[in-house]
Amino acid sequence: MEQIYNSQKVTIITVVYNAVNTIEGTIESVLNQTYKNLEYIIVDGGSTDGTLQIIEKYRNRIDRFISEPDKGIGDGFNKGISMASGEWIGMINADDWYAENAVESIMQHISKDDFVCCGNIRLIGGNGTERDKKSKVGWLNFGMYVMHPSCFVRRGVYRNVGNYDIGLRIAMDFDMFLRIKRFGYNIKYIDKVIAYMRTDGVSNDTAKMHREELKVMRRHLHGINYMLSYLFNYLNRLRWRFFYKDPFRKPMSLQA
């Protein structure tokens, strides 16, 4: 394992569009990693808000950078993967950032027989609330319970299972990881916070997320597995609609 840890290049991909307020923190979290055998790729969707000016400040430390219109986040992921030269690939988007030792934590725990590895994320609310969210690999049939910003995947896995589905706007990562599972790749879990995710109300677009997850379930699951996943999805939609109290949402101002 020591030889693998020391030798393998890791590619980090950031997909961004109009994130002037958060992109710098994302970039710095990658450049400040304790693991140094890194390649950094930024895929910008044609930002117009000052994001490009911030990226330019770090241009000499970014290995590959493109800025052009795209067809959404999944398209950006695919472009980044096509440019990657690392053995392992991690994705960290412009509203998220890595723990300082994120890549090192992952690489220290993998062996030559591992193909996918994930950890935990820490959700940061606009009201100051923080909560750790663990990847639950055994729950994957029921939704995206593998935390995508904490995941690192061998480049060859993406080659085998295909691109992210650009027709999905939210659940493209759920679709990808169900495909990875269907192809027989085990997903290794380590109990460490790998990334931080900023959220000002995690219930935003939840209805659309659940609809897309159900579409993905229909695509990949069959028989009793689909029936159980459908029931879980239905109950989860009821919970979010009628019972869920969002701990991350900022309190509403009473001032006009």
Side-chain angles (χ1 to χ4, degrees), residues 161-164 175-183 220:
V161 305
N163 289 336
Y164 284 84
D175 174 74
M176 172 59 71
F177 277 81
L178 277 184
R179 270 189 281 151
I180 286 173
K181 180 181 175 182
R182 195 183 73 205
F183 271 69
H220 295 292

Side-chain angles (χ1 to χ4, degrees), residues 178-201:
L178 277 184
R179 270 189 281 151
I180 286 173
K181 180 181 175 182
R182 195 183 73 205
F183 271 69
Y185 294 108
N186 291 324
I187 302 173
K188 186 170 189 173
Y189 167 72
I190 64 167
D191 189 10
K192 287 181 176 289
V193 172
I194 300 299
Y196 299 83
M197 176 180 289
R198 185 180 289 104
T199 172
D200 289 329

Side-chain angles (χ1 to χ4, degrees), residues 28-46:
E28 289 184 347
S29 80
V30 175
L31 299 180
N32 292 333
Q33 286 297 300
T34 55
Y35 190 87
K36 298 305 179 184
N37 193 7
L38 293 180
E39 173 184 59
Y40 192 25
I41 296 173
I42 296 182
V43 180
D44 177 78

Side-chain angles (χ1 to χ4, degrees), residues 23-170:
I23 183 61
E24 190 159 27
T26 305
I27 292 172
E28 289 184 347
S29 80
V30 175
L31 299 180
N32 292 333
Q33 286 297 300
T34 55
Y35 190 87
K36 298 305 179 184
N37 193 7
L38 293 180
E39 173 184 59
Y40 192 25
I41 296 173
I42 296 182
V43 180
D44 177 78
S47 293
T48 58
D49 67 340
T51 294
L52 298 183
Q53 286 77 8
I54 292 177
I55 294 172
E56 187 60 31
K57 290 168 53 178
Y58 300 90
R59 187 65 186 87
N60 64 336
R61 300 178 65 188
I62 298 167
D63 297 282
R64 301 289 298 275
F65 167 64
I66 60 171
S67 179
E68 61 187 23
D70 58 35
K71 299 176 182 177
I73 297 175
D75 192 25
F77 288 160
N78 293 335
K79 289 178 181 181
I81 292 169
S82 71
M83 293 187 287
S85 65
E87 174 66 18
W88 288 82
I89 296 175
M91 309 275 194
I92 191 75
N93 291 339
D95 285 333
D96 311 332
W97 67 98
Y98 279 133
E100 186 178 9
N101 62 343
V103 181
E104 186 166 12
S105 294
I106 293 289
M107 297 304 289
Q108 283 179 333
H109 284 83
I110 63 168
S111 72
K112 61 182 178 61
D113 299 318
D114 294 321
F115 290 88
V116 185
C117 189
C118 66
N120 307 326
I121 63 173
R122 181 164 295 164
L123 298 176
I124 310 293
N127 60 1
T129 299
E130 297 185 9
R131 186 178 72 189
D132 288 359
K133 195 167 184 180
K134 295 189 175 187
S135 288
K136 299 177 181 178
V137 176
W139 288 43
L140 187 56
N141 281 0
F142 302 112
M144 190 54 184
Y145 285 94
V146 174
M147 303 298 109
H148 194 223
S150 78
C151 292
F152 289 76
V153 180
R154 284 191 190 268
R155 183 159 48 97
V157 173
Y158 285 124
R159 219 169 24 236
N160 290 338
V161 305
N163 289 336
Y164 284 84
D165 183 350
I166 63 174
L168 297 169
R169 310 303 292 180
I170 298 176

